[in-house]
Protein backbone atom coordinates (compact mmCIF):
# COMPACT_ATOMS: atom_id res chain seq x y z
CA UNK A 1 0.00 0.00 0.00
CA UNK A 2 1.25 3.42 -0.90
CA UNK A 3 1.91 5.93 1.79
CA UNK A 4 -0.85 8.51 2.04
CA UNK A 5 1.60 11.39 2.15
CA UNK A 6 3.15 10.30 -1.14
CA UNK A 7 -0.19 9.79 -2.76
CA UNK A 8 -1.19 13.41 -2.21
CA UNK A 9 -0.23 15.85 -5.00
CA UNK A 10 1.70 18.10 -2.64
CA UNK A 11 3.70 15.22 -1.11
CA UNK A 12 4.47 13.80 -4.57
CA UNK A 13 5.70 17.20 -5.69
CA UNK A 14 7.96 17.52 -2.63
CA UNK A 15 9.39 13.99 -3.07
CA UNK A 16 10.15 14.66 -6.74
CA UNK A 17 11.82 17.89 -5.76
CA UNK A 18 14.09 16.13 -3.24
CA UNK A 19 15.07 13.39 -5.67
CA UNK A 20 15.85 15.56 -8.67
CA UNK A 21 17.02 18.80 -7.12
CA UNK A 22 20.70 19.57 -7.68
CA UNK A 23 22.63 22.74 -7.21
CA UNK A 24 24.77 24.29 -9.90
CA UNK A 25 27.81 22.18 -8.68
CA UNK A 26 25.92 18.93 -9.26
CA UNK A 27 25.60 18.11 -5.54
CA UNK A 28 22.70 15.99 -4.40
CA UNK A 29 20.45 17.21 -1.65
CA UNK A 30 21.67 16.01 1.71
CA UNK A 31 25.36 16.60 0.89
CA UNK A 32 27.58 18.53 3.25
CA UNK A 33 27.12 21.73 1.24
CA UNK A 34 25.21 24.33 3.19
CA UNK A 35 21.96 25.23 1.56
CA UNK A 36 20.75 28.69 0.77
CA UNK A 37 18.00 30.21 2.89
CA UNK A 38 15.65 29.96 -0.08
CA UNK A 39 16.24 26.20 -0.34
CA UNK A 40 15.84 25.74 3.41
CA UNK A 41 12.49 27.54 3.29
CA UNK A 42 11.36 25.48 0.30
CA UNK A 43 12.32 22.21 1.93
CA UNK A 44 10.68 23.21 5.19
CA UNK A 45 7.47 23.92 3.34
CA UNK A 46 7.50 20.35 2.07
CA UNK A 47 8.43 18.54 5.29
CA UNK A 48 6.31 20.57 7.71
CA UNK A 49 2.58 20.06 7.34
CA UNK A 50 0.66 23.32 7.15
CA UNK A 51 -2.42 24.11 9.08
CA UNK A 52 -5.02 25.23 6.56
CA UNK A 53 -5.93 28.89 6.93
CA UNK A 54 -9.54 29.80 7.46
CA UNK A 55 -10.00 32.67 5.05
CA UNK A 56 -13.76 32.84 5.47
CA UNK A 57 -14.98 36.13 6.89
CA UNK A 58 -17.39 36.32 9.76
CA UNK A 59 -20.72 36.45 8.02
CA UNK A 60 -24.26 36.96 9.16
CA UNK A 61 -24.86 33.20 9.30
CA UNK A 62 -22.07 32.77 11.86
CA UNK A 63 -23.51 35.61 13.89
CA UNK A 64 -27.00 34.14 13.82
CA UNK A 65 -25.61 30.84 15.01
CA UNK A 66 -23.83 32.57 17.88
CA UNK A 67 -27.01 34.36 18.87
CA UNK A 68 -28.81 31.05 19.04
CA UNK A 69 -26.24 29.24 21.19
CA UNK A 70 -27.95 30.31 24.37
CA UNK A 71 -31.21 28.94 23.02
CA UNK A 72 -29.77 25.66 21.78
CA UNK A 73 -31.37 25.97 18.34
CA UNK A 74 -32.81 28.49 15.93
CA UNK A 75 -36.43 27.36 16.18
CA UNK A 76 -38.53 28.04 19.26
CA UNK A 77 -40.15 24.61 19.11
CA UNK A 78 -36.76 22.98 19.85
CA UNK A 79 -35.51 25.57 22.34
CA UNK A 80 -34.81 23.94 25.70
CA UNK A 81 -35.08 27.30 27.51
CA UNK A 82 -38.24 28.41 25.74
CA UNK A 83 -40.54 28.05 28.77
CA UNK A 84 -38.34 30.24 30.93
CA UNK A 85 -38.15 32.96 28.26
CA UNK A 86 -41.90 32.62 27.67
CA UNK A 87 -42.71 33.33 31.35
CA UNK A 88 -40.37 36.34 31.42
CA UNK A 89 -41.96 37.64 28.25
CA UNK A 90 -45.49 37.02 29.55
CA UNK A 91 -44.78 38.71 32.90
CA UNK A 92 -43.43 41.89 31.29
CA UNK A 93 -46.27 41.83 28.73
CA UNK A 94 -48.86 41.87 31.52
CA UNK A 95 -47.22 44.89 33.10
CA UNK A 96 -47.14 46.69 29.76
CA UNK A 97 -50.77 45.81 29.09
CA UNK A 98 -51.88 47.13 32.50
CA UNK A 99 -50.01 50.41 32.01
CA UNK A 100 -51.34 50.71 28.46
CA UNK A 101 -54.97 50.23 29.53
CA UNK A 102 -54.55 52.82 32.29
CA UNK A 103 -53.25 55.38 29.80
CA UNK A 104 -56.12 54.59 27.40
CA UNK A 105 -58.58 55.19 30.24
CA UNK A 106 -57.01 58.57 31.03
CA UNK A 107 -57.58 59.79 27.50
CA UNK A 108 -56.14 61.40 24.39
CA UNK A 109 -53.68 63.78 26.00
CA UNK A 110 -52.11 61.05 28.15
CA UNK A 111 -51.87 58.71 25.18
CA UNK A 112 -50.00 61.40 23.28
CA UNK A 113 -47.70 61.93 26.30
CA UNK A 114 -47.04 58.16 26.33
CA UNK A 115 -46.14 58.36 22.64
CA UNK A 116 -43.64 61.15 23.33
CA UNK A 117 -42.00 59.13 26.13
CA UNK A 118 -41.71 56.08 23.85
CA UNK A 119 -40.12 58.27 21.17
CA UNK A 120 -37.53 59.54 23.64
CA UNK A 121 -36.60 55.98 24.61
CA UNK A 122 -36.42 54.93 20.96
CA UNK A 123 -34.21 57.89 20.08
CA UNK A 124 -31.93 57.15 23.03
CA UNK A 125 -31.52 53.52 21.94
CA UNK A 126 -30.78 54.49 18.35
CA UNK A 127 -28.46 57.37 19.28
CA UNK A 128 -26.35 55.00 21.37
CA UNK A 129 -26.17 52.35 18.64
CA UNK A 130 -23.29 53.93 16.72
CA UNK A 131 -21.64 55.84 19.54
CA UNK A 132 -17.96 55.34 20.32
CA UNK A 133 -17.26 56.16 23.95
CA UNK A 134 -13.70 57.41 23.59
CA UNK A 135 -14.71 59.61 20.66
CA UNK A 136 -17.55 61.17 22.62
CA UNK A 137 -15.20 61.98 25.49
CA UNK A 138 -13.19 64.12 23.08
CA UNK A 139 -16.36 65.96 21.98
CA UNK A 140 -17.94 67.67 24.98
CA UNK A 141 -21.64 68.49 24.56
CA UNK A 142 -21.74 66.73 21.17
CA UNK A 143 -24.39 64.32 22.46
CA UNK A 144 -26.46 67.30 23.58
CA UNK A 145 -26.54 68.44 19.95
CA UNK A 146 -28.41 65.29 18.93
CA UNK A 147 -31.11 66.00 21.49
CA UNK A 148 -31.33 69.59 20.25
CA UNK A 149 -32.25 68.28 16.80
CA UNK A 150 -34.62 65.75 18.38
CA UNK A 151 -36.69 68.31 20.30
CA UNK A 152 -36.63 70.72 17.34
CA UNK A 153 -38.17 67.98 15.19
CA UNK A 154 -40.69 67.25 17.95
CA UNK A 155 -41.73 70.91 18.09
CA UNK A 156 -42.10 71.05 14.31
CA UNK A 157 -44.14 67.83 13.95
CA UNK A 158 -46.46 68.20 16.92
CA UNK A 159 -46.81 71.93 16.49
CA UNK A 160 -48.39 71.33 13.09
CA UNK A 161 -50.53 68.37 14.18
CA UNK A 162 -51.90 69.79 17.45
CA UNK A 163 -52.18 73.47 16.55
CA UNK A 164 -55.96 73.37 16.18
CA UNK A 165 -56.45 71.43 19.43
CA UNK A 166 -54.25 73.99 21.18
CA UNK A 167 -56.29 76.90 19.79
CA UNK A 168 -59.54 75.32 20.91
CA UNK A 169 -58.12 74.82 24.41
CA UNK A 170 -57.23 78.50 25.00
CA UNK A 171 -60.09 80.26 23.19
CA UNK A 172 -61.63 81.38 26.49
CA UNK A 173 -58.55 83.42 27.46
CA UNK A 174 -57.76 86.37 25.20
CA UNK A 175 -54.08 86.68 26.24
CA UNK A 176 -53.26 83.02 25.76
CA UNK A 177 -55.28 82.98 22.55
CA UNK A 178 -53.09 85.74 21.10
CA UNK A 179 -49.94 84.08 22.38
CA UNK A 180 -50.87 80.72 20.88
CA UNK A 181 -52.01 82.38 17.66
CA UNK A 182 -48.62 84.07 17.33
CA UNK A 183 -46.76 80.85 18.02
CA UNK A 184 -48.79 79.03 15.38
CA UNK A 185 -48.29 81.82 12.85
CA UNK A 186 -44.51 81.85 13.31
CA UNK A 187 -44.19 78.15 14.06
CA UNK A 188 -42.19 77.30 10.94
CA UNK A 189 -39.88 80.30 11.41
CA UNK A 190 -39.14 79.28 15.01
CA UNK A 191 -38.42 75.66 14.07
CA UNK A 192 -36.28 76.71 11.11
CA UNK A 193 -34.01 78.95 13.16
CA UNK A 194 -33.76 76.34 15.90
CA UNK A 195 -32.53 73.92 13.25
CA UNK A 196 -30.11 76.49 11.82
CA UNK A 197 -28.77 77.08 15.34
CA UNK A 198 -28.09 73.34 15.63
CA UNK A 199 -26.48 73.33 12.18
CA UNK A 200 -24.12 76.14 13.16
CA UNK A 201 -23.43 74.42 16.48
CA UNK A 202 -22.40 71.29 14.57
CA UNK A 203 -20.07 73.20 12.24
CA UNK A 204 -18.39 74.98 15.15
CA UNK A 205 -17.94 71.68 17.00
CA UNK A 206 -15.95 70.00 14.21
CA UNK A 207 -12.56 68.75 15.39
CA UNK A 208 -9.51 67.77 13.40
CA UNK A 209 -9.12 64.00 12.79
CA UNK A 210 -12.72 63.45 13.88
CA UNK A 211 -14.58 64.75 10.84
CA UNK A 212 -15.64 61.32 9.64
CA UNK A 213 -17.07 60.32 13.02
CA UNK A 214 -18.88 63.64 13.48
CA UNK A 215 -20.43 63.69 10.01
CA UNK A 216 -21.43 60.05 10.47
CA UNK A 217 -23.23 60.92 13.70
CA UNK A 218 -24.86 63.94 12.02
CA UNK A 219 -26.26 61.77 9.23
CA UNK A 220 -27.29 59.05 11.69
CA UNK A 221 -29.17 61.60 13.81
CA UNK A 222 -31.16 62.83 10.82
CA UNK A 223 -32.02 59.30 9.76
CA UNK A 224 -33.34 58.61 13.28
CA UNK A 225 -35.48 61.75 13.14
CA UNK A 226 -36.96 60.64 9.82
CA UNK A 227 -37.66 57.10 11.03
CA UNK A 228 -39.06 58.08 14.43
CA UNK A 229 -41.03 61.24 13.66
CA UNK A 230 -42.21 60.62 10.11
CA UNK A 231 -44.03 57.51 11.24
CA UNK A 232 -45.02 58.41 14.79
CA UNK A 233 -46.56 61.70 13.59
CA UNK A 234 -49.26 59.60 11.95
CA UNK A 235 -49.81 57.86 15.29
CA UNK A 236 -50.50 61.19 17.00
CA UNK A 237 -52.92 62.14 14.22
CA UNK A 238 -54.76 58.84 14.69
CA UNK A 239 -55.13 59.49 18.43
CA UNK A 240 -56.98 62.77 17.95
CA UNK A 241 -59.11 61.37 15.12
CA UNK A 242 -60.48 59.00 17.75
CA UNK A 243 -58.77 56.59 20.13
CA UNK A 244 -60.40 53.78 18.15
CA UNK A 245 -58.09 54.49 15.16
CA UNK A 246 -55.05 54.33 17.42
CA UNK A 247 -56.09 51.45 19.64
CA UNK A 248 -57.36 49.00 17.03
CA UNK A 249 -54.17 48.99 14.88
CA UNK A 250 -52.02 48.71 18.02
CA UNK A 251 -54.07 45.74 19.29
CA UNK A 252 -53.87 44.02 15.91
CA UNK A 253 -50.07 44.24 15.86
CA UNK A 254 -49.90 42.95 19.44
CA UNK A 255 -52.29 40.11 18.58
CA UNK A 256 -50.28 39.17 15.51
CA UNK A 257 -47.04 39.21 17.49
CA UNK A 258 -48.40 37.08 20.35
CA UNK A 259 -50.14 34.63 17.98
CA UNK A 260 -47.00 34.23 15.85
CA UNK A 261 -44.98 33.56 19.00
CA UNK A 262 -47.33 30.88 20.32
CA UNK A 263 -47.96 29.16 16.98
CA UNK A 264 -44.22 29.10 16.39
CA UNK A 265 -43.66 28.01 20.00
CA UNK A 266 -45.76 24.87 19.65
CA UNK A 267 -45.90 24.11 15.92
CA UNK A 268 -43.07 26.02 14.21
CA UNK A 269 -40.98 23.74 12.00
CA UNK A 270 -40.47 25.59 8.71
CA UNK A 271 -38.22 28.69 8.79
CA UNK A 272 -39.85 31.74 7.22
CA UNK A 273 -37.01 34.20 6.60
CA UNK A 274 -33.29 34.17 7.32
CA UNK A 275 -33.33 37.66 8.83
CA UNK A 276 -35.48 36.35 11.72
CA UNK A 277 -34.39 32.74 12.22
CA UNK A 278 -37.08 31.98 14.81
CA UNK A 279 -39.93 33.08 12.53
CA UNK A 280 -41.73 30.14 10.95
CA UNK A 281 -44.39 29.64 8.31
CA UNK A 282 -46.60 27.93 10.86
CA UNK A 283 -46.39 30.97 13.13
CA UNK A 284 -46.95 33.39 10.25
CA UNK A 285 -50.05 31.61 8.88
CA UNK A 286 -51.55 30.92 12.31
CA UNK A 287 -51.01 34.54 13.36
CA UNK A 288 -52.61 35.82 10.15
CA UNK A 289 -55.80 33.85 10.75
CA UNK A 290 -55.93 34.87 14.42
CA UNK A 291 -55.37 38.54 13.55
CA UNK A 292 -58.19 38.62 10.98
CA UNK A 293 -60.62 37.11 13.49
CA UNK A 294 -59.43 39.51 16.20
CA UNK A 295 -59.85 42.51 13.87
CA UNK A 296 -63.51 41.71 13.26
CA UNK A 297 -64.24 41.10 16.96
CA UNK A 298 -62.19 44.00 18.39
CA UNK A 299 -63.82 46.49 16.03
CA UNK A 300 -67.26 45.44 17.26
CA UNK A 301 -66.26 45.75 20.93
CA UNK A 302 -64.30 49.01 20.71
CA UNK A 303 -66.81 50.64 18.37
CA UNK A 304 -69.52 50.60 21.03
CA UNK A 305 -67.72 53.12 23.30
CA UNK A 306 -68.12 56.81 22.49
CA UNK A 307 -65.02 57.54 24.58
CA UNK A 308 -63.03 55.65 21.94
CA UNK A 309 -64.81 56.74 18.77
CA UNK A 310 -65.25 60.49 19.28
CA UNK A 311 -62.49 62.75 17.92
CA UNK A 312 -60.79 65.13 20.34
CA UNK A 313 -60.77 68.76 19.16
CA UNK A 314 -58.94 70.24 22.16
CA UNK A 315 -56.31 69.24 24.74
CA UNK A 316 -58.64 68.78 27.69
CA UNK A 317 -59.03 65.48 29.54
CA UNK A 318 -62.81 65.36 30.01
CA UNK A 319 -65.06 62.58 28.79
CA UNK A 320 -66.37 62.85 25.27
CA UNK A 321 -69.88 62.57 23.91
CA UNK A 322 -70.70 62.78 20.23
CA UNK A 323 -72.81 61.35 17.47
CA UNK A 324 -71.04 58.07 16.69
CA UNK A 325 -71.78 58.36 12.99
CA UNK A 326 -72.96 55.65 10.60
CA UNK A 327 -69.76 53.61 10.90
CA UNK A 328 -70.45 52.87 14.56
CA UNK A 329 -74.20 52.21 14.35
CA UNK A 330 -75.01 48.50 14.16
CA UNK A 331 -76.60 46.89 11.16
CA UNK A 332 -78.43 43.59 11.65
CA UNK A 333 -77.86 40.59 9.44
CA UNK A 334 -80.17 37.57 9.49
CA UNK A 335 -78.51 34.20 10.02
CA UNK A 336 -79.23 31.27 7.68
CA UNK A 337 -81.85 28.86 9.00
CA UNK A 338 -79.41 25.99 9.37
CA UNK A 339 -77.24 28.21 11.57
CA UNK A 340 -80.00 29.89 13.61
CA UNK A 341 -81.46 26.45 14.36
CA UNK A 342 -78.47 25.78 16.64
CA UNK A 343 -78.14 29.27 18.09
CA UNK A 344 -80.41 31.27 20.45
CA UNK A 345 -80.47 34.34 18.17
CA UNK A 346 -81.79 34.81 14.63
CA UNK A 347 -79.67 37.80 13.58
CA UNK A 348 -76.36 39.35 14.51
CA UNK A 349 -75.40 43.05 14.82
CA UNK A 350 -72.42 44.15 12.74
CA UNK A 351 -70.87 47.61 12.80
CA UNK A 352 -69.90 48.89 9.34
CA UNK A 353 -66.46 49.74 10.72
CA UNK A 354 -65.86 46.00 11.16
CA UNK A 355 -65.51 45.61 7.39
CA UNK A 356 -62.85 48.32 7.43
CA UNK A 357 -61.17 46.52 10.33
CA UNK A 358 -60.69 43.44 8.14
CA UNK A 359 -58.45 45.47 5.81
CA UNK A 360 -56.46 46.70 8.80
CA UNK A 361 -56.17 43.09 9.99
CA UNK A 362 -54.97 41.95 6.59
CA UNK A 363 -52.25 44.61 6.56
CA UNK A 364 -51.24 43.78 10.14
CA UNK A 365 -50.90 40.10 9.14
CA UNK A 366 -49.11 40.34 5.79
CA UNK A 367 -47.32 43.67 5.47
CA UNK A 368 -46.62 45.02 8.97
CA UNK A 369 -44.38 42.04 9.96
CA UNK A 370 -41.91 43.26 7.36
CA UNK A 371 -41.23 46.18 9.68
CA UNK A 372 -39.98 43.59 12.15
CA UNK A 373 -37.96 41.84 9.45
CA UNK A 374 -36.36 45.17 8.55
CA UNK A 375 -35.44 45.74 12.20
CA UNK A 376 -34.02 42.19 12.39
CA UNK A 377 -31.84 42.79 9.35
CA UNK A 378 -30.73 46.09 10.84
CA UNK A 379 -29.69 44.36 14.05
CA UNK A 380 -27.84 41.64 12.14
CA UNK A 381 -25.93 44.34 10.26
CA UNK A 382 -24.72 45.83 13.56
CA UNK A 383 -24.32 42.42 15.23
CA UNK A 384 -26.67 43.12 18.12
CA UNK A 385 -29.49 40.99 19.48
CA UNK A 386 -31.78 43.82 20.62
CA UNK A 387 -31.83 47.59 20.38
CA UNK A 388 -31.97 47.83 24.18
CA UNK A 389 -32.88 46.00 27.37
CA UNK A 390 -35.58 48.26 28.78
CA UNK A 391 -38.31 45.58 28.61
CA UNK A 392 -37.39 42.13 30.01
CA UNK A 393 -37.92 39.42 27.44
CA UNK A 394 -38.69 41.91 24.68
CA UNK A 395 -35.55 44.01 24.29
CA UNK A 396 -35.89 47.76 23.92
CA UNK A 397 -38.74 50.05 22.95
CA UNK A 398 -37.51 50.09 19.36
CA UNK A 399 -37.87 46.30 19.22
CA UNK A 400 -41.53 46.61 20.23
CA UNK A 401 -42.40 49.55 17.98
CA UNK A 402 -40.95 48.38 14.65
CA UNK A 403 -44.23 46.97 13.31
CA UNK A 404 -46.38 49.50 15.18
CA UNK A 405 -44.87 52.38 13.23
CA UNK A 406 -45.57 50.76 9.86
CA UNK A 407 -49.12 49.96 10.94
CA UNK A 408 -49.82 53.50 12.21
CA UNK A 409 -48.94 55.04 8.84
CA UNK A 410 -51.26 52.64 6.99
CA UNK A 411 -54.09 53.21 9.50
CA UNK A 412 -53.91 56.97 9.00
CA UNK A 413 -53.76 56.74 5.20
CA UNK A 414 -56.61 54.23 5.13
CA UNK A 415 -58.73 56.37 7.45
CA UNK A 416 -58.21 59.53 5.41
CA UNK A 417 -58.73 57.76 2.08
CA UNK A 418 -61.64 55.39 2.72
CA UNK A 419 -63.30 56.41 5.99
CA UNK A 420 -63.36 60.20 6.22
CA UNK A 421 -65.99 61.72 3.96
CA UNK A 422 -64.39 63.70 1.16
CA UNK A 423 -65.39 67.27 0.37
CA UNK A 424 -65.77 70.50 2.33
CA UNK A 425 -67.54 70.77 5.65
CA UNK A 426 -68.39 73.47 8.17
CA UNK A 427 -65.77 72.10 10.56
CA UNK A 428 -63.09 72.39 7.88
CA UNK A 429 -63.92 76.06 7.25
CA UNK A 430 -64.01 76.86 10.95
CA UNK A 431 -60.67 75.11 11.37
CA UNK A 432 -59.10 77.29 8.66
CA UNK A 433 -60.65 80.45 10.12
CA UNK A 434 -59.33 79.76 13.61
CA UNK A 435 -55.96 78.75 12.20
CA UNK A 436 -55.29 81.69 9.88
CA UNK A 437 -57.34 84.69 11.08
CA UNK A 438 -56.64 86.85 14.08
CA UNK A 439 -59.31 87.50 16.72
CA UNK A 440 -60.16 90.90 15.22
CA UNK A 441 -60.39 89.41 11.71
CA UNK A 442 -62.71 86.72 12.99
CA UNK A 443 -64.97 89.39 14.52
CA UNK A 444 -65.06 91.26 11.19
CA UNK A 445 -65.94 88.01 9.39
CA UNK A 446 -68.68 87.34 11.94
CA UNK A 447 -70.19 90.81 11.39
CA UNK A 448 -70.10 90.50 7.59
CA UNK A 449 -71.64 87.03 7.64
CA UNK A 450 -74.40 88.36 9.92
CA UNK A 451 -75.21 91.18 7.48
CA UNK A 452 -75.21 88.81 4.50
CA UNK A 453 -77.55 86.34 6.22
CA UNK A 454 -79.88 89.14 7.40
CA UNK A 455 -80.07 90.51 3.87
CA UNK A 456 -80.99 87.11 2.45
CA UNK A 457 -83.62 86.62 5.17
CA UNK A 458 -85.47 89.88 4.28
CA UNK A 459 -85.26 89.19 0.56
Amino acid sequence: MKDQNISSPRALRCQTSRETQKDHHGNQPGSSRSRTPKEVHKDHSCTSPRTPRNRQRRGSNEFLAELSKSNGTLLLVDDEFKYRSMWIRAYSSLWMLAAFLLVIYLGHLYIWAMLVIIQIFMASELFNLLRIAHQDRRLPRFKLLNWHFFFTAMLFVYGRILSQQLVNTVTSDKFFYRLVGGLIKYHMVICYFLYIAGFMWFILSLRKKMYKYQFGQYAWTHMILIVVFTQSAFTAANIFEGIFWFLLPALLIATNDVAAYFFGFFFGRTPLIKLSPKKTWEGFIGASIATMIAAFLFANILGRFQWLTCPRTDLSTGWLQCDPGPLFKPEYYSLPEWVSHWLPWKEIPVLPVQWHALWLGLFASIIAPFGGFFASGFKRAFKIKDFGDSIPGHGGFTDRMDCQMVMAVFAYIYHQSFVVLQGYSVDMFIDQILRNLSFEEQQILYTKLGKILQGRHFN
Side-chain angles (χ1 to χ4, degrees), residues 195-213:
Y195 179 82
I196 289 298
F199 176 75
M200 296 173 63
W201 181 357
F202 169 75
I203 297 299
L204 294 174
S205 68
L206 290 173
R207 295 291 182 268
K208 191 176 181 180
K209 297 183 179 181
M210 299 189 67
Y211 298 147
K212 184 176 181 180
Y213 174 75

Side-chain angles (χ1 to χ4, degrees), residues 60-61 63-64 67 74 271-279 369-381 384-385:
S60 59
N61 291 335
F63 176 66
L64 295 179
L67 283 182
L74 292 178
L272 175 64
I273 187 170
K274 291 183 179 179
L275 289 175
S276 288
K278 290 190 178 183
K279 304 291 185 183
F370 280 84
F373 299 153
F374 176 84
S376 296
F378 196 85
K379 289 184 284 189
R380 299 298 180 271
I384 58 174
K385 184 177 180 181

